[in-house]
Amino acid sequence: MSAEFAFEVTARDGRARCGRLQLAHGVVQTPAFMPVGTRGAIKGLTMAQLNDLGAEIMLANAYHLHVRPGDEAIARAGGLHAFTGWKKPILTDSGGFQVFSLAGRRTVSDDGVVFQSHLDGRSLALSAESVTDIQMRLGSDVAMVFDECTAWPVTRDEAAAAMQRTLRWARRARERFGVIARGEAPEIPRATPGQAQFGIVQGSTFQDLRDESVGGTVAVGFEAYAIGGLSVGEPPELMYEVAGQTAAQLPEMAPRYLMGAGMPNDLVEAVARGIDLFDCVLPTRNARNGQLFTQDGPISIKNARYADDQGPPDPECGCPTCRTHSRAYLRHLFMSGEMAGSTLNTVHNLHFYLDTMRRIRKAIEFGILADFTRAFLDRYSRGARH
Ligand SMILES: [Zn+2]
C-alpha cells in the first residue's frame, strides 16, 4: 500500500458520500471531476488557468505520453509534475481504452498487446508490467492498471474473456507495482514514491461478470477501484444500473471511480449511486466545438440567434468568461476561428463541471441530495429539449 494514500468519508446521504482523498501531491475533495489533459495539457488552457478554476486533480494518459514524448524523457525531466508545471495530483489512465479504441491493427494475448501507434504506425507492445513501469516513470499520483476494455454491445463470451484477462493482468500489475515500490527495481526511476495504484472492474453490462470482476479485483487489493467499460455507447439508464450495482459491492472505505462518464446529468445520477470520481472529455472537447453547458442544458454558441445577444453565456455562472464576455462576442470568436474562443469556452465548461461537483458535495453535506438531484435533472432536461 502507498503510505501517502488515504481516503476518509466525511459525510453520507443515502448511497452518496463526500470524502477527503489524500494523494502524494495533495488532497482531492470527492465527489470530484477530473479534467482530462490527455497529453499533459488541457487543450486550450494553461496550468495557471486550470488552477484558478479550482481543479484539484488532472488526468493524463500513459499511452499517449509513452508514444510522445516518451516516459523516459519525462522521467529525465523529473516526472510529469516537473515537466508540466502542474503541482497538484495527477491520475494517469493506463491506455487500455485507447489501445482498444484508437490504435490500428492489434494482437491481444495474455502477454499483452502488440499494436500500431496511432501517430506513425510503428509497432508498440504494452503489457501489465510495462504499463506499470511507464506510470512509475511518469510519476503520477495514481496509476491505473492496464485493462482490456470492450465495446458495447459485446457478446457475453467476449465480455467474460476480457474481464478474466483484465483480472490476470491486475494480479501481474500489482505484483510489479510492489516490486518497484519496495525498491527492488532500481532501474525504474520513481518521481512520485507515494504513487497509488487503482484496479479496474470490467464485465460490460453483464452483472454476474461485474460481480466476479469485483470479487477478483478486490482480492488482489488496490488503493481504490474503477468501473471501466461503461459510457461506451450503452443507454444511460443501463449505465446507471450497472455502475450502481457494481459500486454497492466495492469496499466502503475505498474511492470508486466511474471511468469516462459523462454528461452533467450522468454525474448527478452516478454520485447518488455511490460514485466518487469522474473524468470525461465532454466539457473540454465540446467547448472547442462551440457547445456551452448550463443549468438549463447545453447551448450551441454558433447559433445565429446569439449574433446580437449581449448577455453572458450563462447568467448564473460566476466564471471569468461569463463575467467578462457576451454570447455575441463568443459567437464571433467561434465563427472567426479565434483561439481565444476555445479557451474562453473551455474555462466556462470546466467551471460548470467543477461547480456542479461543489454543489453536489454541499447537497450531500446538508443531506438534501435527493432534492438537489431532482431539481437539477428537471431543469437540465427541460433546457436540453429546446
Ligand atoms: Zn461561465
Side-chain angles (χ1 to χ4, degrees):
M1 294 288 277
S2 160
E4 291 170 63
F5 178 93
F7 181 65
E8 180 195 354
V9 174
T10 55
R12 290 174 199 279
D13 185 357
R15 287 164 63 191
R17 65 260 190 97
C18 282
R20 187 180 181 280
L21 172 59
Q22 174 74 57
L23 298 169
H25 288 85
V27 170
V28 178
Q29 299 172 76
T30 66
F33 178 79
M34 303 184 280
V36 178
T38 301
R39 301 187 291 204
I42 309 291
K43 287 183 175 61
L45 291 196
T46 64
M47 290 302 174
Q49 287 170 316
L50 183 63
N51 194 53
D52 288 347
L53 284 166
E56 294 182 320
I57 182 167
M58 177 179 80
L59 185 143
N61 190 281
Y63 161 74
H64 282 273
L65 294 169
H66 172 65
V67 173
R68 184 172 62 188
D71 39 293
E72 294 188 344
I74 291 174
R76 287 194 296 276
L80 261 183
H81 291 86
F83 185 59
T84 64
W86 177 249
K87 311 286 187 223
K88 292 177 181 175
I90 298 175
L91 178 146
T92 41
D93 194 2
S94 63
F97 180 79
Q98 283 69 26
V99 169
F100 289 96
S101 65
L102 161 155
R105 271 201 312 251
R106 60 178 175 261
T107 319
V108 189
S109 71
D110 265 15
D111 288 344
V113 186
V114 179
F115 60 99
Q116 289 181 316
S117 158
H118 72 286
L119 277 185
D120 52 16
R122 78 190 143 114
S123 180
L124 295 170
L126 289 177
S127 68
E129 289 83 4
S130 73
V131 169
T132 305
D133 292 359
I134 289 168
Q135 292 178 91
M136 279 282 182
R137 287 191 201 98
L138 294 174
S140 50
D141 295 73
V142 174
M144 302 304 301
V145 296
F146 193 49
D147 62 327
E148 182 172 353
C149 184
T150 47
W152 192 88
V154 64
T155 68
R156 193 180 184 289
D157 284 352
E158 286 173 309
M163 182 274 285
Q164 293 291 357
R165 178 171 279 141
T166 296
L167 206 45
R168 290 192 292 275
W169 285 354
R171 292 186 195 108
R172 283 165 42 190
R174 192 58 172 175
E175 172 74 27
R176 180 66 183 165
F177 182 84
V179 165
I180 304 171
R182 289 192 299 272
E184 293 166 19
E187 73 280 11
I188 308 290
R190 295 158 66 205
T192 300
Q195 187 182 64
Q197 190 184 40
F198 289 8
I200 303 178
V201 172
Q202 287 290 351
S204 188
T205 47
F206 302 96
Q207 195 56 51
D208 60 321
L209 298 182
R210 288 277 170 189
D211 297 351
E212 194 181 337
S213 182
V214 167
T217 311
V218 172
V220 177
F222 291 93
E223 276 78 31
Y225 301 91
I227 301 171
L230 289 180
S231 201
V232 290
E234 75 283 5
E237 285 305 326
L238 186 55
M239 173 173 79
Y240 304 150
E241 186 189 321
V242 175
Q245 288 196 32
T246 307
Q249 297 178 60
L250 285 167
E252 187 59 29
M253 288 317 293
R256 304 161 183 152
Y257 166 23
L258 177 59
M259 303 181 82
M263 295 293 287
N265 43 329
D266 295 339
L267 308 183
V268 177
E269 295 271 12
V271 164
R273 289 165 172 81
I275 299 296
D276 306 301
L277 291 169
F278 299 89
D279 78 282
C280 190
V281 295
L282 274 183
T284 41
R285 178 184 292 162
N286 290 18
R288 300 192 302 278
N289 295 328
Q291 190 181 52
L292 299 175
F293 291 100
T294 81
Q295 289 192 60
D296 292 306
I299 66 167
S300 178
I301 202 66
K302 58 193 160 194
N303 198 308
R305 74 215 258 204
Y306 301 127
D308 289 307
D309 189 335
Q310 308 310 325
D314 178 355
E316 287 178 45
C317 179
C319 86
T321 301
C322 292
R323 284 201 312 266
T324 315
H325 301 295
S326 65
R327 291 176 172 183
Y329 181 62
L330 293 180
R331 177 174 187 275
H332 162 67
L333 294 182
F334 183 86
M335 301 309 284
S336 339
E338 285 290 338
M339 287 162 65
S342 287
T343 297
L344 291 167
N345 293 348
T346 303
V347 163
H348 167 78
N349 277 356
L350 279 183
H351 175 90
F352 178 76
Y353 268 63
L354 294 167
D355 195 54
T356 298
M357 300 315 292
R358 280 188 281 267
R359 294 167 63 217
I360 288 173
R361 292 196 295 268
K362 276 278 169 275
I364 296 171
E365 282 165 15
F366 289 128
I368 54 163
L369 185 68
D371 289 342
F372 173 86
T373 301
R374 205 174 305 117
F376 183 95
L377 294 176
D378 182 54
R379 189 172 167 186
Y380 190 84
S381 62
R382 237 182 311 129
R385 280 198 296 272
H386 288 167

